[in-house]
Amino acid sequence: AQSVAQPEDQVNVAEGNPLTVKCTYSVSGNPYLFWYVQYPNRGLQFLLKYITGDNLVKGSYGFEAEFNKSQTSFHLKKPSALVSDSALYFCAVRSWGYSGGGADGLTFGKGTHLIIQP
Amino acid sequence: AAGVIQSPRHLIKEKRETATLKCYPIPRHDTVYWYQQGPGQDPQFLISFYEKMQSDKGSIPDRFSAQQFSDYHSELNMSSLELGDSALYFCASSLVAGGPETQYFGPGTRLLVL
């Protein structure tokens, strides 16, 4: 079984400050990790993903995430937060390789509300 | 760029009725996924189809069924609706043929069961 933990229900950051949204995962086989953002009454928008290669992944809107295999973490970061970054952020995982197929579903964390204060 | 299209966007049904949700994947994508997101909850994977064959199965109730057609669109059929089926239903699509790829989500169908 695979699982994702997002330990913070809400993260508050002042505009212009760096932000971090935490995510840890558990999966059999190789992890395939994602971050998605959801605005109110909207669908999920893809931000970035990690499959293999460099541990630091850069994505949309200035976001990046660092894969740490030993800590089984994939924290989302941004050097300078904008008010428009306020939204609900989901970390997701699936395995691939010996236990996962190409069309497997994602397992999501509970989500973290990011609030950027002007 | 073209995105995933879902219809209808909103649906209101009575208990014990049936509902059909439709999903049109991004052009040239070969895989479709269905997710259910309850109020204040994270999305839960229901089922996926690759090249018109069921690929992976999650927490889809027996009252629900789905299929992918020759044009790659997919339909989620829901019968004997219950109050607890009220949720946002997302469809996602990806191109798997070349290896595991990003799932792109549609805007969702909001189902309300009264």
Side-chain angles (χ1 to χ4, degrees):
Chain A
Q2 55 199 29
S3 64
V4 175
Q6 294 182 241
E8 302 152 318
D9 290 336
Q10 183 169 306
V11 170
N12 294 282
V13 177
E15 186 176 26
N17 283 0
L19 68 87
T20 298
V21 183
K22 296 180 181 178
C23 169
T24 58
Y25 67 91
S26 174
V27 67
S28 300
N30 300 308
Y32 190 41
L33 293 153
F34 299 84
W35 277 100
Y36 286 88
V37 59
Q38 186 175 32
Y39 295 96
N41 299 313
R42 300 283 296 277
L44 294 159
Q45 295 180 33
F46 168 72
L47 279 180
L48 50 78
K49 67 182 179 185
Y50 172 84
I51 305 173
T52 186
D54 290 341
N55 290 339
L56 184 63
V57 178
K58 294 188 182 294
S60 305
Y61 312 117
F63 284 93
E64 58 188 30
E66 186 165 13
F67 171 66
N68 187 317
K69 187 174 181 178
S70 63
Q71 297 185 3
T72 61
S73 68
F74 189 56
H75 301 330
L76 182 69
K77 300 181 180 183
K78 187 173 182 180
S80 178
L82 299 172
V83 172
S84 58
D85 292 330
S86 299
L88 181 58
Y89 289 79
F90 287 101
C91 180
V93 70
R94 52 158 290 183
S95 65
W96 67 284
Y98 78 87
S99 62
D104 286 359
L106 298 174
T107 297
F108 285 84
K110 296 298 182 186
T112 298
H113 290 273
L114 177 63
I115 298 175
I116 309 301
Q117 296 152 334
Chain B
V4 176
I5 297 172
Q6 291 187 247
S7 67
R9 293 293 310 277
H10 302 272
L11 191 57
I12 300 175
K13 291 287 185 178
E14 300 279 343
K15 280 174 52 178
R16 292 179 289 277
E17 285 191 324
T18 61
T20 297
L21 308 185
K22 296 184 178 182
C23 169
Y24 298 86
I26 292 171
R28 291 182 294 279
H29 280 192
D30 53 16
T31 304
V32 169
Y33 312 77
W34 286 98
Y35 291 84
Q36 178 193 58
Q37 185 179 30
Q41 302 294 314
D42 55 295
Q44 294 291 317
F45 170 67
L46 296 178
I47 196 167
S48 64
F49 292 86
Y50 168 62
E51 283 292 343
K52 292 151 280 184
M53 298 289 290
Q54 182 181 313
S55 180
D56 191 18
K57 194 172 182 181
S59 53
I60 185 169
D62 292 340
R63 299 177 288 108
F64 294 6
S65 65
Q67 58 182 325
Q68 186 180 30
F69 295 86
S70 57
D71 64 351
Y72 293 97
H73 95 272
S74 178
E75 295 183 3
L76 177 66
N77 298 293
M78 311 160 71
S79 63
S80 302
L81 287 169
E82 302 173 356
L83 297 178
D85 296 329
S86 297
L88 192 54
Y89 290 83
F90 288 112
C91 172
S93 75
S94 71
L95 178 62
V96 170
E101 261 300 338
T102 302
Q103 294 180 27
Y104 293 95
F105 284 75
T109 293
R110 186 169 297 280
L111 172 65
L112 179 60
V113 181
L114 301 175

